């Protein structure tokens, strides 16, 4: 039996959020719900299909593996985020793998349907263009960081990004769950030991507390200043 996506669920995604309910209902009719187990591949660089995916529950990790076997992590895709749209736009091959982290539920739209929705709905087209622009800006910033910042600075910036995902209260951010040192290392192209050293340094300065059960950035401004 075909599992359908609800129009209400579609409204949680930025590109569909401004569409009226009847339009979202039409779009939802042409999407499927799929379940993925932990460590199951959602997208592979060898895929020939160009479907677009929308995270409803769980998490999907975008990463790539070099010829030497080193993993580079790009992003953890959380509920309300979409991915796969670049291949849908240009029809070219996938640039990275996307793997489910834990049990994950995704909505899937074919490339043909995605392009149809974009061309028929100016609101969606504008949202997609804004999203692609943000991706370009993000990657440009990353290139700048890799070219000009030390490994220690890149680690601090990644911790700052993690903290920025939660609201600060009086300059303080409390986090319930954070990436492992190995995950942070993969994101900034270094090794786990370098992350451990930098985290210990930040703890000595009382900028952060970073241990199981207690992850706190005590002063966002101080961490930002330290990054520079």
């Amino acid at each position: 039996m075909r599992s359908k996506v609800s129009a209400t669920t579609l409204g949680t995604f930025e590109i569909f959020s401004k569409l009226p309910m009847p339009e979202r209902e039409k779009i939802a009719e042409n999407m499927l719900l799929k379940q993925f187990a932990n460590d199951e591949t959602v997208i592979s660089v060898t895929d020939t299909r160009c479907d677009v995916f929308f995270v409803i529950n769980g998490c999907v990790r975008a990463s790539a593996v070099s010829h030497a076997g080193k993993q580079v992590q790009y992003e953890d895709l959380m509920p309300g985020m979409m991915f796969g749209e670049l291949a849908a736009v240009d029809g070219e091959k996938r640039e990275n793998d996307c793997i489910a982290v834990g049990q994950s539920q995704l909505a899937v739209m074919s490339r043909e349907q995605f392009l149809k929705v974009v061309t028929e709905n100016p609101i969606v087209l504008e949202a997609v263009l804004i999203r692609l622009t943000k991706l370009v800006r993000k990657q440009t910033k990353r290139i700048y960081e890799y070219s000009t910042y030390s490994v220690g600075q890149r680690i601090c910036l990644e911790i700052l990004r993690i903290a920025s995902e939660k609201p600060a209260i009086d300059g303080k951010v409390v986090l319930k769950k954070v990436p492992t040192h190995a995950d942070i290392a993969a994101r900034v192209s270094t090794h786990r030991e370098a992350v451990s050293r930098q985290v210990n340094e930040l703890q000595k300065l009382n900028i952060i507390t970073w241990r199981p059960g207690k992850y706190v950035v005590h002063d966002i401004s101080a961490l930002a200043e330290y990054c520079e």
Side-chain angles (χ1 to χ4, degrees):
M1 183 176 180
R2 173 175 168 148
S3 297
K4 294 185 178 180
V5 183
S6 74
T8 300
T9 297
L10 277 193
T12 64
F13 293 90
E14 187 176 1
I15 70 166
F16 303 126
S17 62
K18 295 181 180 179
L19 286 177
M21 183 65 77
E23 289 299 319
R24 293 206 304 269
E25 288 174 345
K26 291 179 184 178
I27 294 170
E29 283 293 322
N30 292 289
M31 299 177 72
L32 290 176
L33 278 177
K34 287 190 176 182
Q35 305 287 339
F36 291 86
N38 183 45
D39 284 334
E40 185 175 355
T41 298
V42 180
I43 285 178
S44 168
V45 292
T46 60
D47 286 350
T48 55
R49 289 184 60 85
C50 297
D51 295 337
V52 181
F53 296 82
F54 302 81
V55 184
I56 296 174
N57 292 305
C59 173
V60 176
R61 178 163 295 161
S63 62
V65 179
S66 71
H67 292 296
K70 181 179 179 180
Q71 185 185 60
V72 178
Q73 289 185 19
Y74 296 122
E75 187 177 13
D76 279 352
L77 302 152
M78 308 302 291
M81 300 176 73
M82 78 172 184
F83 61 97
E85 72 275 21
L86 296 183
V89 170
D90 64 12
E92 296 294 328
K93 69 180 184 68
R94 303 290 191 180
E95 293 296 334
N96 53 261
D97 298 321
C98 290
I99 311 295
V101 180
Q103 294 287 330
S104 300
Q105 184 182 54
L106 310 179
V108 188
M109 179 184 286
S110 70
R111 180 195 183 207
E112 294 73 22
Q113 183 62 25
F114 178 76
L115 294 177
K116 183 174 185 290
V117 170
V118 169
T119 54
E120 292 181 355
N121 295 275
I123 293 175
V124 176
L125 175 59
E126 181 182 10
V128 170
L129 289 175
I130 290 173
R131 171 172 167 73
L132 294 179
T133 301
K134 287 180 179 178
L135 286 175
V136 171
R137 291 183 185 278
K138 180 180 179 180
Q139 295 308 316
T140 300
K141 185 176 181 180
R142 287 276 187 166
I143 292 170
Y144 175 81
E145 290 174 4
Y146 278 92
S147 301
T148 60
Y149 287 1
S150 67
V151 169
Q153 285 176 307
R154 298 203 304 271
I155 294 168
C156 290
L157 284 168
E158 190 59 37
I159 293 173
L160 184 61
R161 287 191 189 97
I162 294 166
S164 298
E165 294 173 359
K166 298 290 183 180
I169 300 175
D170 296 327
K172 177 180 177 180
V173 176
V174 178
L175 301 163
K176 292 184 178 180
K177 186 178 180 181
V178 301
T180 65
H181 288 189
D183 287 340
I184 293 174
R187 293 182 185 183
V188 300
S189 190
T190 187
H191 47 82
R192 182 181 59 80
E193 292 76 11
V195 176
S196 297
R197 285 196 298 268
Q198 190 61 62
V199 165
N200 289 337
E201 178 66 21
L202 291 171
Q203 290 194 107
K204 288 178 183 178
L205 295 171
N206 200 35
I207 294 176
I208 67 172
T209 297
W210 212 261
R211 61 175 184 266
K214 189 174 184 180
Y215 298 100
V216 182
V217 176
H218 299 288
D219 190 333
I220 285 287
S221 297
L223 178 59
E225 290 177 8
Y226 188 91
C227 290
E228 297 297 332

